[in-house]
Amino acid sequence: MTANVIVTVEREFDVPRPQVFRAWTVPAELAQWRGSPGWHVEPSGLVGEPKPGGRHHHVTVRESDGLAVTTDGVYTEFFEPDVFVSRERITGDPGIDPAVPLELRVEFTEMGRHDTLVRIIQGPYEPDVAGWHGEAWEKELNRLADFLGTAGQEARR
């Protein structure tokens, strides 16, 4: 098979764009929400160099069996707080060939006074695994919404 499917997922958050962008690009914040339910980001070894050519790295671990999935990426574009693009190699995920890099593009669009539309575009995926990777992004965005709600409450205190 040929990896030729691009996954696109969108979600609108009632949170200012700079705050949403930080949740994606500041390692300590990213570690609090990335991963589907039943997964967590290992706090050790997080790397985030938010600039073109900057490296980012994180490991998500499935709690039920310890399966570790490692993401190593380099930002090819970085325009805070509008968009970043990363070329990534993902190892440990049985549905992704670690020899084939993926491109991740995340756009942050201001909607009204305080809302932010997040658009995730990632691929190429093999056709038989693209659907469940899209579902995984949906679950992660639910966790991001929870994190941003909590982070927003703390910021208002």
Side-chain angles (χ1 to χ4, degrees):
M1 269 198 197
T2 302
N4 63 357
V5 177
I6 303 298
V7 170
T8 302
V9 179
E10 294 182 342
R11 179 78 55 89
E12 191 168 335
F13 298 93
D14 183 20
V15 177
R17 187 169 55 155
Q19 185 178 347
V20 180
F21 192 88
R22 273 193 318 273
W24 281 84
T25 58
V26 173
E29 292 191 25
L30 179 126
Q32 294 182 54
W33 67 269
R34 277 302 306 267
S36 293
W39 293 73
H40 69 272
V41 172
E42 283 293 309
S44 62
L46 284 167
V47 174
E49 300 169 338
K51 62 183 180 183
R55 186 173 159 255
H56 64 92
H57 169 91
H58 69 274
V59 177
T60 53
V61 177
R62 186 166 50 198
E63 293 157 5
S64 64
D65 61 5
L67 175 70
V69 176
T70 301
T71 300
D72 283 300
V74 174
Y75 292 114
T76 57
E77 297 178 39
F78 196 92
F79 298 98
E80 185 175 350
D82 299 309
V83 63
F84 68 80
V85 179
S86 173
R87 187 165 179 85
E88 301 178 333
R89 293 211 183 262
I90 299 175
T91 55
D93 184 322
I96 297 178
D97 181 350
V100 178
L102 295 176
E103 181 174 279
L104 171 65
R105 177 182 183 88
V106 184
E107 301 169 350
F108 303 83
T109 304
E110 193 170 68
M111 307 291 287
R113 292 182 62 193
H114 298 290
D115 290 0
T116 303
L117 176 68
V118 173
R119 178 178 292 120
I120 301 165
I121 305 162
Q122 188 175 39
Y125 287 104
E126 297 283 343
D128 58 338
V129 299
W132 61 269
H133 278 88
E135 290 173 19
W137 274 121
E138 292 284 355
K139 292 174 183 176
E140 289 195 45
L141 290 176
N142 290 339
R143 290 183 74 176
L144 175 59
D146 291 344
F147 169 74
L148 291 170
T150 302
Q153 291 170 5
E154 292 172 4
R156 288 188 289 271
R157 287 184 189 163

